[in-house]
Amino acid sequence: MFSTLIGVPVGAALGLTRFMGRKLLVAFMYTGMGFPPVVIGLFVYLMLSRSGPLGQLNSPLIPALFTPGAMIIAQTIIAFPLVAGFTMAAVMSVDPQLRQQVQSLGATTWQTAWTVITEARIGVIVAVIAGFGGIISEVGAVMLVGGNIEGRTRVLTTAIVLETRKGNFELAIALGLILLGITFVINALMLRLQGKAIDT
Amino acid sequence: MTALKPGVNGQGLSATLPDHVRYSIEGVSKVYAGRQVLQIDRMDIRRGEILALVGPSGAGKSTLLRMLNFLEPPSAGRIRYGDFEYGPNGEAPLATRRQVTTVSQRPVLLNRAVQANVHFGLHLRGQRKAARQVDAALQQVGLAHLARQQARTLSGGEAQRVALARAMVLQPAVLLLDEPTANLDPYNVGLIEQIVRTLNREQGMTLVLVTHNIFQAHRLAHRVGFMLDGRLVEVADTQTFFEAPVDPRTAAFVRGDMVY
Ligand SMILES: Nc1ncnc2c1ncn2[C@@H]1O[C@H](COP(=O)(O)OP(=O)(O)OP(=O)(O)O)[C@@H](O)[C@H]1O
Ligand SMILES: [Mg+2]
């Protein structure tokens, strides 16, 4: 969710503009896209732990380790480069002459940006699906940062790991099917959106 | 040459343009990646005229149109339009930019239905409902039956006419046409030429028409300009341009034995 909210605008901005340091940012983003999520989990763990730089601040704005807040932070960091990277690629693949044509028809800067994003809508939806796929299949980082605490930070993936370890294969399989089902439904919804995007 | 010649506009530097002048181009040049592709010392475009621009490929015609639409500022010099001066790094106010629009050489349509494309410019101006204008414009270019079709499925000539309809509904003060009939069959060339005449006569629209077809320039234009290697060689009344051009290069071009 958060990655979409941040990732789509950042990706679009990177695709639409040229500024100093853009190349560096893009390089970081590509690195992030291929980054092992566990390492990101470790990083967030170290940052948030009581003795870590952010944990020490004791600020109410910064979630403690082993809370849903901490998991959201880790997931956001994992999905953000995916969403931003794919969005950027989609925006950049739009005909470069389209921007001038849209401006020529009287678009403001914002209207131009928005039009280019809507022209790239199919790719932007792919970006969101990719980010979502990255998040929902994530185990390692979530386990590290969330702690897999029952009723609080246990999610489907971590529950599957736990139940399998305990030998409760039936429960694990059932959970796996639920996870598959959820993924399928959400992707199907996205695809419908995409289909609509193609038709209109 | 980057600076303006002092004599050209030494006096009246900030005076408004005379009423009959739509654009005044003064010492304008355009440089891309260190290469100068356009250099026009002086040219006026008159209010309410049809000006044709002819000249070989790469002469800078499309580049000039982009500047006249305030999409890319000149590298040096200035273009005056009403009270507005467009110079290096300049940016036209939205209201000024919205008085001008271009039908580009290669039609760029949005991946939407034809009617949504024609509606687009009005939509940008906050007009949500404009079905009547959209229908009328499509009717004029002979495409009313394709209103609901997806733009990406159009033929080249259809796309070009949709692009013209999309510009026309805006009723701009200035319409810039970059080879608007390049993909069209003779019947549709005639149709578009008639539309151009009508827009000019009935709405007093100023039109700048880039064309490779000198017969079309002859049929439509009040004045014709000949561009070569980024320079304006000559601009003259249509009759003079074709019958008694001053510059030998213009004469060669008109005779059709220009070598380039
Ligand atoms: N964005 C750009 N970057 C670099 N060079 C450019 C750019 N746009 C145009 N040029 C160059 O400027 C010159 C003039 O181009 P322009 O498109 O204005 O020519 P034209 O007269 O419209 O030609 P044609 O009849 O083929 O359309 C060409 O040499 C072209 O390569
Ligand atoms: Mg051109």
Side-chain angles (χ1 to χ4, degrees):
Chain A
M1 266 300 282
F2 283 118
S3 321
T4 302
L5 286 180
I6 317 170
V8 171
V10 169
L14 284 174
L16 283 168
T17 55
R18 297 280 172 278
F19 54 86
M20 265 170 49
R22 175 181 175 275
K23 282 217 171 106
L24 194 69
L25 273 178
V26 171
F28 269 124
M29 204 175 56
Y30 283 148
T31 314
M33 285 173 87
F35 226 60
V38 180
V39 178
I40 291 171
L42 178 64
F43 173 75
V44 174
Y45 184 99
L46 292 175
M47 292 304 269
L48 294 184
S49 74
R50 222 33 71 75
S51 52
L54 291 178
Q56 278 174 350
L57 293 177
N58 254 330
S59 153
L61 286 176
I62 298 165
L65 217 46
F66 309 129
T67 59
M71 289 163 68
I72 291 174
I73 290 186
Q75 295 280 43
T76 305
I77 298 176
I78 291 167
F80 167 74
L82 287 168
V83 177
F86 281 116
T87 301
M88 183 186 79
V91 163
M92 285 172 70
S93 71
V94 171
D95 185 345
Q97 283 192 27
L98 183 100
R99 271 168 84 182
Q100 277 199 337
Q101 181 62 69
V102 166
Q103 275 171 338
S104 155
L105 290 164
T108 62
T109 312
W110 288 113
Q111 286 175 326
T112 307
W114 176 247
T115 306
V116 174
I117 293 170
T118 51
E119 283 296 295
R121 57 197 173 249
I122 293 168
V124 172
I125 292 170
V126 169
V128 175
I129 290 180
F132 174 75
I135 285 177
I136 197 155
S137 58
E138 180 40 39
V139 188
V142 158
M143 197 108 103
L144 263 180
V145 174
N148 198 12
I149 302 166
E150 185 166 11
R152 290 198 40 218
T153 60
R154 179 165 305 164
V155 291
L156 278 169
T157 47
T158 54
I160 292 172
V161 171
L162 190 75
E163 297 304 332
T164 311
R165 274 218 201 105
K166 285 201 290 197
N168 294 336
F169 294 117
E170 276 145 43
L171 186 54
I173 290 170
L175 289 173
L177 287 176
I178 294 175
L179 186 61
L180 267 179
I182 294 175
T183 315
F184 180 77
V185 167
I186 292 186
N187 277 333
L189 283 176
M190 295 276 204
L191 281 175
R192 265 198 72 154
L193 207 69
Q194 201 175 41
K196 276 222 189 91
I198 293 168
D199 288 341
T200 49
Chain B
M1 198 203 72
T2 47
L4 296 175
K5 282 187 221 146
V8 171
N9 45 21
Q11 325 111 331
L13 212 81
S14 55
T16 44
L17 292 174
D19 233 18
H20 68 281
V21 178
R22 185 69 278 192
Y23 289 94
S24 162
I25 297 167
E26 300 169 1
V28 162
S29 71
K30 185 74 194 176
V31 177
Y32 286 122
R35 187 166 68 96
Q36 178 170 302
V37 301
L38 194 73
Q39 166 70 59
I40 297 179
D41 295 336
R42 185 72 223 235
M43 172 161 88
D44 282 351
I45 296 173
R46 297 178 188 157
R47 195 186 288 268
E49 78 171 334
I50 302 178
L51 172 69
L53 292 175
V54 298
S57 190
K61 306 179 296 292
S62 299
T63 303
L64 177 59
L65 290 197
R66 284 197 295 279
M67 289 198 272
L68 295 176
N69 201 166
F70 311 115
L71 299 173
E72 285 176 22
S75 307
R78 60 175 184 172
I79 295 175
R80 296 166 70 198
Y81 178 96
D83 290 335
F84 175 63
E85 278 190 26
Y86 196 46
N89 303 315
E91 200 176 313
L94 187 64
T96 305
R97 189 151 52 81
R98 283 185 172 174
Q99 293 180 24
V100 186
T101 191
T102 306
V103 177
S104 56
Q105 192 162 4
R106 184 170 62 82
V108 186
L109 299 181
L110 299 162
N111 191 2
R112 307 175 185 184
V114 166
Q115 55 191 4
N117 268 280
V118 178
H119 187 185
F120 184 72
L122 294 169
H123 190 82
L124 293 175
R125 288 160 175 76
Q127 266 177 266
R128 305 286 139 174
K129 289 211 173 79
R132 238 194 27 208
Q133 288 134 284
V134 170
D135 285 346
L138 280 170
Q139 193 92 44
Q140 271 186 284
V141 298
L143 291 178
H145 59 293
L146 297 184
R148 288 168 192 286
Q149 192 167 324
Q150 286 303 308
R152 71 194 131 80
T153 63
L154 296 174
S155 77
E158 287 166 349
Q160 205 160 26
R161 284 183 285 154
V162 170
L164 177 65
R166 180 173 64 177
M168 255 162 48
V169 285
L170 300 176
Q171 301 192 303
V174 179
L175 182 57
L176 308 170
L177 302 171
D178 203 342
E179 296 184 44
T181 59
N183 296 316
L184 299 181
D185 57 81
Y187 169 78
N188 279 302
V189 171
L191 182 78
I192 299 307
E193 290 184 358
Q194 201 45 51
I195 290 175
V196 167
R197 280 190 201 96
T198 308
L199 291 173
N200 177 254
R201 276 201 204 123
E202 291 177 7
Q203 297 183 27
M205 202 181 277
T206 306
L207 290 115
V208 181
L209 166 78
V210 170
T211 179
H212 279 296
N213 182 340
I214 57 169
F215 301 105
Q216 179 168 64
H218 191 256
R219 285 194 294 271
L220 283 178
H222 301 120
R223 291 195 308 150
V224 184
F226 175 49
M227 291 179 68
L228 183 64
D229 294 333
R231 298 195 173 253
L232 181 73
V233 173
E234 181 165 0
V235 53
D237 290 344
T238 302
Q239 195 176 358
T240 314
F241 184 90
F242 284 101
E243 287 166 18
V246 175
D247 196 290
R249 290 168 297 175
T250 312
F253 183 79
V254 168
R255 279 198 312 272
D257 51 35
M258 166 135 261
V259 229
Y260 42 75

